[in-house]
Amino acid sequence: GIQVEQSPPDLILQEGANSTLRCNFSDSVNNLQWFHQNPWGQLINLFYIPSGTKQNGRLSATTVATERYSLLYISSSQTTDSGVYFCAVVNYGGATNKLIFGTGTLLAVQP
Amino acid sequence: DAGVTQSPTHLIKTRGQHVTLRCSPISGHKSVSWYQQVLGQGPQFIFQYYEKEERGRGNFPDRFSARQFPNYSSELNVNALLLGDSALYLCASSPDRANTEAFFGQGTRLTVV
């Protein structure tokens, strides 16, 4: 099955700093989503981005499907950005249309 | 608009007991999927239901079962609970079988003692 690797695994930032999170996947995908998991466990949708670039406020994402990676950019980070960031992919060629989650990036933003 | 709702939010059960978790999808969404997330890992797929039929099953034992009702809400049942079933159980709602842009509920945190 598809392997989804995220880097870095952990990241500590000072408030106001910028960061780039990466998601690599081992096979072609049809869907790709980025999520932020808050301290209470809820997965918050950030982007649905199977290809191309999107921006939402301080966050933006780019997926280059042909090269099998996606990037999540966080600018001017705030303490509320802390948590775990997951990318998740779907491959319609598999037995199910399940979301396959990456290994996650744990982000801590310090005041 | 109401998002995906799950109940209960927290649950403590004893080994060997049975548990039922519930999920209501976003209005208009016909697909519900269930995921298990243990501490320190990403969510793992358990089931997908679409139009009241099972459309996919992950690598979980037969103690895990689910169903989807005519109003597209869903239940996840786990029998003969083990300590290792302690986890966050997440429900995802999507408009179609392809799982285009899934949205998650707040989860049910199950502790088995």
Side-chain angles (χ1 to χ4, degrees):
Chain A
I2 294 178
Q3 304 299 312
V4 185
E5 297 288 333
Q6 292 183 240
S7 60
D10 305 281
L11 188 57
I12 300 175
L13 298 175
Q14 292 298 123
E15 206 167 21
N18 302 329
S19 62
T20 300
L21 280 57
R22 187 176 180 104
C23 171
N24 291 331
F25 38 96
S26 60
D27 202 346
S28 60
V29 299
N30 302 96
N31 292 350
L32 188 145
Q33 291 186 249
W34 281 97
F35 296 95
H36 174 211
Q37 189 164 41
N38 65 24
W40 298 271
Q42 183 156 14
L43 286 167
I44 308 299
N45 285 47
L46 298 177
F47 293 102
Y48 169 71
I49 187 165
S51 64
T53 297
K54 291 185 177 180
Q55 180 156 7
N56 184 3
R58 296 181 296 104
L59 273 60
S60 64
T62 295
T63 297
V64 184
T66 53
E67 298 187 20
R68 299 180 185 172
Y69 74 88
S70 184
L71 302 173
L72 177 69
Y73 306 96
I74 304 174
S75 64
S76 304
S77 58
Q78 301 175 357
T79 55
T80 52
D81 294 332
S82 297
V84 182
Y85 289 80
F86 287 105
C87 67
V89 304
V90 178
N91 179 320
Y92 294 156
T96 70
N97 294 330
K98 63 183 178 183
L99 279 166
I100 302 169
F101 282 79
T103 47
T105 292
L106 176 59
L107 174 64
V109 181
Q110 299 177 338
Chain B
D1 285 345
V4 182
T5 57
Q6 292 187 241
S7 63
T9 54
H10 295 81
L11 201 52
I12 300 175
K13 289 286 190 178
T14 304
R15 278 178 298 175
Q17 286 189 315
H18 163 90
V19 68
T20 298
L21 310 181
R22 295 178 174 84
C23 173
S24 292
I26 292 170
S27 177
H29 283 195
K30 299 181 178 180
S31 172
V32 170
S33 298
W34 289 93
Y35 293 80
Q36 180 197 64
Q37 186 179 20
V38 300
L39 199 61
Q41 298 182 19
Q44 297 293 315
F45 172 75
I46 309 175
F47 288 109
Q48 182 190 16
Y49 275 77
Y50 175 73
E51 290 284 18
K52 302 178 286 293
E53 292 191 13
E54 183 182 305
R55 303 293 182 170
R57 183 187 182 109
N59 188 23
F60 281 81
D62 291 344
R63 298 184 296 107
F64 288 76
S65 64
R67 55 179 175 169
Q68 187 176 33
F69 298 100
N71 66 353
Y72 302 110
S73 67
S74 179
E75 285 182 353
L76 175 69
N77 295 283
V78 187
N79 291 324
L81 285 166
L82 303 174
L83 295 179
D85 295 330
S86 296
L88 179 66
Y89 289 85
L90 294 160
C91 171
S93 162
S94 148
D96 52 32
R97 184 177 177 180
N99 245 339
T100 305
E101 195 166 18
F103 294 83
F104 283 81
Q106 80 278 23
T108 294
R109 195 167 297 277
L110 172 66
T111 302
V112 182
V113 297

